[in-house]
Amino acid sequence: MLVNARSTAAPGAPFEATKIERRDVGPTDVLIDIAYAGICHTDVSRARSEFGKTNYPLVPGHEIAGTVSAVGGEVSKFSVGDRVGIGCFVDSCRECDHCKAGLESYCRVEHIRTYNAVGRDGKVTQGGYSEKIVVDEAYVLRIPDSLPLHEAAPLLCAGITTYTPLRHWKAGPGSKVAIVGFGGLGHVGVSISKALGAHTTVLDLTMDKEADALRRGADAYRLSTDSTVYTDYADTFDLIVSTVPANLDYDAFLQMLALDGTFVNLGVPKRPISFDVFSLLHNRRSIAGTLVGGIEETQEMLDFCATHGITAEVEVIDADEIDRAYDRVAAGDVKYRFVIDISTMATT
């Protein structure tokens, strides 16, 4: 079937109205009418070919929320009318030990990304900046009724990207967590960390988001450019989660870790990271990274957010505003996530 979408044809090229082909609904497939699609910083980087190979024309979007409009004959998990979401991947090998353990994002063969990947049919996947998408039910998430779709869409990336390290490194009562960067990921991560019971500190470049951070659950907010923060918090944090794509002074951040503390890097700096090994040896510290969680954990995250009233703070835009939104995301000028109203997709 042909559906309306927005695509970009080259690095820096504007988004244009187009039509893309979606496959017919197979026996285990779900057809989703997309209501909203979030704009992730990764979308901007992929569209502008800032890392990895980009297959053009590109239809980005891996923060997808909508409703089921048709199901295949063997589908058992979903029915027409269900509120659902799609995150960063739409398939994996399903046979390796990682997939069988619910860690599909670490598939030994390769998880198939929602866009800019090659699917089982040999075609390049196209994402959520489109009216409809067809996905196997095993990779579809159920969005709880209490989460508004436009505020839930970013949780499919920003939510699970921060939930995964917080859960894996056991953020909870008695632990101290620092979130570096209060932006698209950080503003969700702060609320999740606090809801898990951890004492949560935000480290950011400016103070203009302090009130928002405290409102979303932060216990403290400090300037990362203030050198005193590194001595004030020396040997303090059990977990530091960096959400920023910039290269940092890793030695300065590592010295804030307590015994057996871990620094988790979620951003993708443009240059290789560098630090002194003695920053790790002291206090038996670790530096790590994660991808998004698997399907089971992503569903757990959505249910957790529903229970604790956690959503993303969004600015809803029309499809014609994507280029302007990209420039603002690149400049850090958004509080805190752009979400495209897909009902405007056909507008020219």
Side-chain angles (χ1 to χ4, degrees), residues 232-256:
D232 290 347
Y233 287 100
D235 301 337
T236 294
F237 297 114
D238 302 292
L239 177 65
I240 300 175
V241 178
S242 174
T243 68
V244 301
N247 283 81
L248 304 172
D249 182 346
Y250 289 93
D251 292 303
F253 281 93
L254 289 170
Q255 77 176 14
M256 292 192 287

Side-chain angles (χ1 to χ4, degrees), residues 9-225:
F15 277 86
E16 297 181 347
T18 187
K19 291 185 182 293
I20 60 173
E21 182 75 26
R22 293 299 192 190
R23 70 174 185 260
D24 293 334
V25 178
T28 61
D29 284 338
V30 173
L31 174 63
I32 300 168
D33 289 344
I34 302 174
Y36 299 97
I39 293 178
C40 173
H41 201 287
T42 299
D43 297 351
V44 179
S45 295
R46 288 288 185 193
R48 296 179 174 179
S49 196
E50 293 175 348
F51 60 76
K53 177 185 176 182
T54 299
N55 298 289
Y56 297 101
L58 178 75
V59 177
H62 59 207
E63 298 179 341
I64 300 169
T67 56
V68 176
S69 57
V71 297
E74 298 177 13
V75 170
S76 60
K77 294 172 59 179
F78 301 99
S79 302
V80 171
D82 285 350
R83 306 165 82 251
V84 294
I86 301 297
C88 297
F89 57 94
V90 291
D91 209 343
S92 62
C93 84
R94 313 186 191 200
E95 296 297 329
C96 72
D97 54 338
H98 291 176
C99 285
K100 289 182 177 180
L103 299 170
E104 298 94 341
S105 55
Y106 300 101
C107 175
R108 290 188 182 275
V109 177
E110 184 180 20
H111 69 264
I112 297 174
R113 298 186 304 275
T114 305
Y115 68 89
N116 196 52
V118 178
R120 289 174 180 260
D121 57 3
K123 298 178 180 178
V124 175
T125 56
Q126 303 288 6
Y129 298 8
S130 59
E131 292 178 326
K132 298 176 186 290
I133 191 169
V134 180
V135 180
D136 188 286
E137 68 168 336
Y139 297 84
V140 178
L141 289 309
R142 187 178 301 278
I143 297 178
D145 290 341
S146 63
L147 297 178
L149 290 180
H150 63 296
E151 295 176 346
L155 299 180
L156 276 304
C157 174
I160 188 58
T161 299
T162 52
Y163 184 82
T164 291
L166 290 167
R167 289 290 283 174
H168 181 77
W169 279 279
K170 298 179 173 55
S175 66
K176 294 182 178 180
V177 172
I179 304 291
V180 182
F182 190 79
L185 271 67
H187 87 288
V188 177
V190 165
S191 295
I192 291 174
S193 177
K194 186 63 176 180
L196 287 168
H199 185 281
T200 305
T201 299
V202 172
L203 304 173
D204 197 85
L205 290 171
T206 68
M207 294 298 294
D208 61 353
K209 294 174 280 187
E210 180 181 19
D212 289 343
L214 296 177
R215 172 173 52 81
R216 289 190 65 94
D219 295 288
Y221 187 105
R222 292 289 300 272
L223 276 176
S224 59
T225 54

